[in-house]
Amino acid sequence: MLSDEVVCGFGGTGNWFGSQTFGMEPDMLSIARGLSSGHLPIGGVIISTRFSMRR
């Protein structure tokens, strides 16, 4: 499962990520705005070890 944290990540909902607010444990998090405070066009994906170890 992929959680889009571009808008609600990095404290937007009171927790570090919006998925924590709803008790979700996604395999991947897409992140962007919190990396550069919206000043640079930068983004990324955080992948859990649980996902990357699957074969």
Side-chain angles (χ1 to χ4, degrees), residues 47-55:
I47 301 173
S48 74
T49 57
R50 188 177 64 225
F51 180 75
S52 62
M53 300 296 269
R54 291 184 185 165
R55 299 185 195 278

Side-chain angles (χ1 to χ4, degrees), residues 1-2 7-8 10 21 27 32 34-35 39-40 48 50 53:
M1 172 175 46
L2 171 67
V7 174
C8 58
F10 299 100
T21 302
D27 297 312
L35 294 175
H39 298 291
L40 297 171
S48 74
R50 188 177 64 225
M53 300 296 269

Side-chain angles (χ1 to χ4, degrees), residues 1-12 15-20 26-48:
M1 172 175 46
L2 171 67
S3 178
D4 184 2
E5 300 286 350
V6 172
V7 174
C8 58
F10 299 100
N15 293 312
W16 271 105
F17 296 104
S19 55
Q20 292 173 324
D27 297 312
M28 297 180 286
L29 299 171
S30 62
I31 57 174
R33 190 174 64 183
L35 294 175
S36 68
S37 300
H39 298 291
L40 297 171
I42 187 171
V45 176
I46 299 172
I47 301 173
S48 74

